Amino acid sequence: MEKTARINYNIDKGWVSHHNSDVWAQTGPTGGYANDPKGSPRWSCWPLSGPWFCQHLWEHYLFNGDENYLRETAYPLMKGAAEFILEWLQPDEESGYLVTIPSTSPENNFIYIDSKGKRKKGEISKASTMDMMLIHDLFTNCIQACGILGTDPGFCQELKETLPRLYPLQQGAKGQLQEWYKDFEEEDVKHRHVSHLFGLHPGKQILPRRDTALAEACKRTLEIRGDGGTGWAMAWKINFWARLEDGNHAYQMLKNGLKYVDATEVSMKGGGTYANLFDAHPPFQIDGNFGGTAGITEMLIQSHAEEIFLLPALPDQWPTGSVKGLRTRGGFIVDMEWDNKKVTKVSILSTLGGNCRIRCSTHLLGKAKIKEAIGKNKNPFFFTADTPVFIEKENIENKIYLELPETQVIEFETKKEKGIC
């Protein structure tokens, strides 16, 4: 991967990988299809998979708390990916911010007007929203890791100084979160990719209860894109709607993702599930199966913000139920039961100890050692990055609003391998 960075981009710091690999573990840009021998840059020119890979490494640490793993395995790779990005970012004369250039929003196109006033299809731009959110996620995770490990103060400071210089998020004329650095017209309004919402999921830069305007722009984006796509795209939308605390819409996406698809059909818009329960993205992608499972979990429990959120997106169709063994960041294992959409019983096992903060619509105060949560969560596994800079549009027509139910946030101290009911 370091060799790929040197050969492809003449960058001798860090490492890079692209959107696809194979049994030979290639990390360079892939070629084209038989009917497209040169390949299309909208999917093959994407040197940002490193930050996304590193999110998995960091999240693994947040769940298991293995500091040796963080020090020896995860952090060195995270640092290498960030070092490459620091070199990859370029100052933009037009805006004054740091941007990625060239930049794509994977597999999507846009329409622009050329110097002669003609409509043209574009694939390559700069500072796509997905790029900037991936970089924001990587840098903030590296900064947190440096603090935990007590290492690389100079590198950490460079990341802190770079973050506010990243190209900001923008709101489009329709109220949506812009996909590219300008509010380009979309070639395919219902395109299956919604990559620019990475900061909502699986990232944690956009938190609806903190970043209301940003979350409303995300919701508007989803409304415009619609509820279609291939199987994996529907699975991602389950997670988006769950993060927006809209359980009924998440449930609708779950139903759409389970729609039967004939295996002989080849379509990039009519996804669902084949008879063998494989994800319908011709011919098959496991993303839909894993993503659908993740989406159901996000509907029942979330822990990416400063707390464990119980039943954040419970649909009306699941008024009564129970679940066991849900794991959260911070090493907590949760069993719970609910009736009439209210938690009736919850048992929490702490595998790492530390402060346990719970958000729930059910009143849970009154037990010994449980108090109302105030301020930042002191448990380091539940840190949240500052909100990215977001430039809103004024006078948006048909502006939408989030409707978030009232909740209570409590907290209590736990000891390793001890439970509380």
Side-chain angles (χ1 to χ4, degrees), residues 196-248:
H196 46 309
L197 300 194
F198 179 92
L200 178 65
H201 180 277
K204 54 182 180 294
Q205 287 81 24
I206 302 173
L207 306 177
R209 289 182 177 270
R210 183 191 69 179
D211 314 315
T212 304
L214 253 174
E216 289 170 346
C218 291
K219 181 178 180 179
R220 180 64 180 137
T221 297
L222 290 170
E223 288 182 346
I224 293 171
R225 280 292 160 89
D227 294 341
T230 54
W232 66 261
M234 294 180 189
W236 203 354
K237 291 174 183 177
I238 300 171
N239 289 273
F240 287 144
W241 285 108
R243 287 281 175 96
L244 291 173
E245 300 182 34
D246 191 333
N248 288 333

Side-chain angles (χ1 to χ4, degrees), residues 153-166:
F155 170 66
C156 182
Q157 184 60 33
E158 184 177 9
L159 295 179
K160 289 180 179 179
E161 293 174 357
T162 303
L163 272 174
R165 299 176 60 202
L166 297 177

Side-chain angles (χ1 to χ4, degrees), residues 79-146:
K79 180 181 178 181
E83 287 176 327
F84 172 84
I85 293 298
L86 287 170
E87 297 294 319
W88 180 249
L89 288 166
Q90 299 296 316
D92 177 41
E93 294 182 359
E94 181 180 0
S95 67
Y97 288 100
L98 292 175
V99 300
T100 55
I101 183 169
S103 176
T104 67
S105 192
E107 301 190 37
N108 205 1
N109 298 320
F110 57 88
I111 302 297
Y112 70 98
I113 308 300
D114 69 7
S115 59
K116 298 181 180 179
K118 294 185 177 181
R119 290 165 57 86
K120 293 290 184 68
K121 181 175 73 173
E123 297 182 356
I124 300 296
S125 180
K126 60 183 177 182
S128 73
T129 298
M130 186 187 202
D131 279 5
M132 307 319 293
M133 284 292 89
L134 281 163
I135 293 169
H136 192 281
D137 183 76
L138 174 65
F139 283 8
T140 53
N141 292 341
C142 282
I143 291 169
Q144 184 73 0
C146 286

Side-chain angles (χ1 to χ4, degrees), residues 269-293:
K269 291 184 178 294
T273 304
Y274 298 124
N276 62 357
L277 297 184
F278 278 9
D279 167 58
H281 177 97
F284 161 65
Q285 286 188 348
I286 195 65
D287 312 40
N289 295 93
F290 289 163
T293 303

Side-chain angles (χ1 to χ4, degrees), residues 49-61:
S49 72
W52 200 335
F53 278 140
C54 287
Q55 189 198 63
H56 294 285
L57 301 175
W58 173 245
E59 290 288 332
H60 184 71
Y61 164 71

